[in-house]
Amino acid sequence: MTGVLPSQVLETMITAKEISASPAIIPEQIQPASLDLRLGTRAWRVRASFLAGNGRSVMERLEEFEMHQIDLTDGAVLEKGCVYVVPLMEQLDLPEGIQAVANAKSSTGRLDLLTRTITDGGEEFDRIQPGYSGPLYAEICPRSFSVLVRPGMRLNQIRFRDGQAVLSDAALTALHGETPLVDGEAVIDEGLGFSVDLRPDAGTLVGYRAKPHTGVIDLDWIGEYDPAEYWEEVRSHNGQIILDPGAFYILVSREAVHIPPAYAAEMAPYLAMVGEFRVHYAGFFDPGFGNADAGGAGSRGVLEVRCHEAPFVLEHGQVVGRLVYEQMAEVPQQLYGAGIASNYQGQGLKLSKHFRAG
C-alpha cells in the first residue's frame, strides 16, 4: 500500500492507537489525505527557534530556551515577532515504515503565521521519521499579525505515507496527458511548475501586502475582519511588481491547478537562484483540489510570498514554485471540497477565511 495514506486509513490508525490524542480526535480533523493537529493548553515563549536534536526531547530543550509560560485555556495573544512552542493534543506511535510530514494549514500560511512541527529527537522541521513514537509540538512565530489562540485550534496538519510514491517527470507528463493538471502548458521539471499572475483578466488588483502595524486577529473569528485594516492592495498596470525586503504578500498563480483523486501534491519552493524571495508556507494540496467532480473545475494556487535581502522585480508568468505530485495509497473516500468544509475550492486571489470578502 505504497503512497500517501487516505482518510479511511487514518481512521484505522486512530482506532489502532497509532495516532492518539487527549481529548479524542474528532471527525472534523480528518481530511482527505491529512490530519489536522490541535493546540494544547499551554505555550512556552522561547528565546529562539530550535530542534530537539538526536537523542534529546523537546521538553529538555525547553528548559534551555524558555522565557515564560502562557496558559491558553481562556485564550492568549501570541505576539508578532516572538517564538512560541505549544504541545499538541495528538501523539504518534507509528508502525515501522510509516513516516509523516507536517505543514501549516492554508489559513495559517495566509496570515504569515509561521507554524512548524517539532518532535523528540527531531533534526528537521515538519519531518517525522518512520516508526516515530512520542509527542508532537508546534513552533509558532507570528510574522505579520499578532494572533489570539485557544486550545483545540488547528494551525497545522500532518500527512502520512508508506514508502515513497513521488511521480517522476515522465509519470507526471503522462498523467497530464490523461487528465490535464493545469489549464495551460505544463512546465514539468522536478514537479509541475507554476507561475505568478500579474495580468488579471479584469482590473489591476494582483495581490495584497500585509500592513506593518495592525490589531490582533482572533483565529476563531471567520469573515469578521475588514481587509483594509490589515492589508494594502497591490496593483499592476504593466505585469510586474517590486517586492520590498521583509514584506509579506498574497499573490495568485496564473495556472488553475488540478489534483486528481488518486494523487496528492505538496508545494515546494523554486530554485533560490531565480530571486531573493520565498513562496509558500502552506504546502499541501489534497486529492480533489480543483477537481470538477468535487466542485473545483481548476483552482488557482494562492502564493504566500516573502522577499528577502534586496528589492526584487516579479514579472507576470515568472515561475515561482512547483507542485510535487505523489500517488495515494488508495483513493480517499472523501475528496477535497466535496461536502466537507473546504474553504478554498474553486479559489482565485483570496485572503484567509478570517477576512470579509470583497
Side-chain angles (χ1 to χ4, degrees):
M1 198 172 64
T2 300
V4 175
L5 304 185
S7 53
Q8 60 268 28
V9 176
L10 300 186
E11 292 171 356
T12 300
M13 294 174 69
I14 293 166
T15 300
K17 304 296 185 185
E18 294 167 354
I19 308 170
S20 58
S22 179
I25 292 168
I26 57 176
E28 291 80 7
Q29 289 177 249
I30 302 173
Q31 305 299 324
S34 62
L35 178 76
D36 291 349
L37 301 172
R38 298 170 297 175
L39 299 182
T41 59
R42 185 165 296 276
W44 275 256
R45 166 82 165 90
V46 293
R47 291 184 287 122
S49 173
F50 67 88
L51 291 163
N54 186 35
R56 306 189 69 180
S57 71
V58 173
M59 293 304 296
E60 178 186 347
R61 303 309 302 273
L62 279 173
E63 294 179 3
E64 290 182 58
F65 302 115
E66 171 187 352
M67 296 175 69
H68 59 89
Q69 297 182 33
I70 305 167
D71 187 352
L72 303 183
T73 304
D74 296 322
V77 173
L78 305 185
E79 295 187 18
K80 172 183 170 181
C82 299
V83 183
Y84 303 86
V85 173
V86 182
L88 297 169
M89 293 179 176
E90 290 71 35
Q91 59 183 15
L92 303 179
D93 186 15
L94 296 180
E96 289 299 323
I98 301 298
Q99 60 183 299
V101 59
N103 220 313
K105 289 177 63 65
S106 294
S107 294
T108 307
R110 294 183 201 202
L111 290 175
D112 197 17
L113 189 55
L114 181 61
T115 304
R116 304 185 287 194
T117 301
I118 54 178
T119 60
D120 288 347
E123 297 180 304
E124 291 183 277
F125 292 108
D126 287 335
R127 296 295 185 266
I128 292 91
Q129 293 301 309
Y132 175 76
S133 181
L136 300 171
Y137 300 83
E139 179 201 89
I140 303 170
C141 180
R143 303 291 303 277
S144 289
F145 312 115
S146 296
V147 295
L148 180 64
V149 301
R150 299 177 184 84
M153 283 184 169
R154 311 198 299 261
L155 303 189
N156 55 347
Q157 57 194 337
I158 190 167
R159 178 177 280 180
F160 300 87
R161 59 166 67 91
D162 186 355
Q164 291 292 341
V166 173
L167 269 64
S168 67
D169 286 350
L172 201 55
T173 301
L175 179 61
H176 178 68
E178 297 170 10
T179 174
L181 303 177
V182 290
D183 58 350
E185 180 183 356
V187 177
I188 295 176
D189 182 9
E190 296 186 6
L192 178 69
F194 58 88
S195 61
V196 63
D197 184 6
L198 298 178
R199 293 188 184 275
D201 292 337
T204 59
L205 180 65
V206 297
Y208 299 91
R209 169 180 161 153
K211 289 186 173 182
H213 308 293
T214 66
V216 172
I217 295 176
D218 186 329
L219 297 185
D220 272 340
W221 288 17
I222 308 303
E224 292 289 334
Y225 292 99
D226 180 358
E229 294 183 6
Y230 294 84
W231 300 93
E232 299 170 355
E233 292 185 346
V234 177
R235 296 184 177 273
S236 176
H237 298 274
N238 61 353
Q240 64 179 219
I241 59 173
I242 297 177
L243 302 177
D244 288 327
F248 178 75
Y249 298 82
I250 295 292
L251 305 173
V252 71
S253 73
R254 184 175 61 162
E255 299 81 9
V257 178
H258 171 219
I259 313 295
Y263 299 87
E266 183 174 358
M267 192 187 295
Y270 206 55
L271 295 175
M273 288 85 80
V274 303
E276 293 295 330
F277 61 91
R278 169 185 169 169
V279 173
H280 104 80
Y281 288 80
F284 288 165
F285 284 64
D286 272 336
F289 181 87
N291 186 272
D293 293 339
S299 294
R300 302 291 188 95
V302 167
L303 311 176
E304 301 134 6
V305 178
R306 178 174 293 281
C307 186
H308 296 319
E309 287 83 1
F312 184 77
V313 177
L314 198 58
E315 304 195 57
H316 176 72
Q318 183 170 345
V319 176
V320 294
R322 56 196 169 91
L323 279 178
V324 177
Y325 281 70
E326 292 184 82
Q327 179 83 42
M328 294 293 298
E330 301 173 6
V331 174
Q333 291 177 350
Q334 185 75 63
L335 297 179
Y336 184 90
I340 62 176
S342 304
N343 291 292
Y344 305 114
Q345 184 71 295
Q347 71 182 353
L349 176 65
K350 187 173 182 179
L351 296 171
S352 79
K353 60 187 179 183
H354 306 91
F355 297 97
R356 295 197 291 267

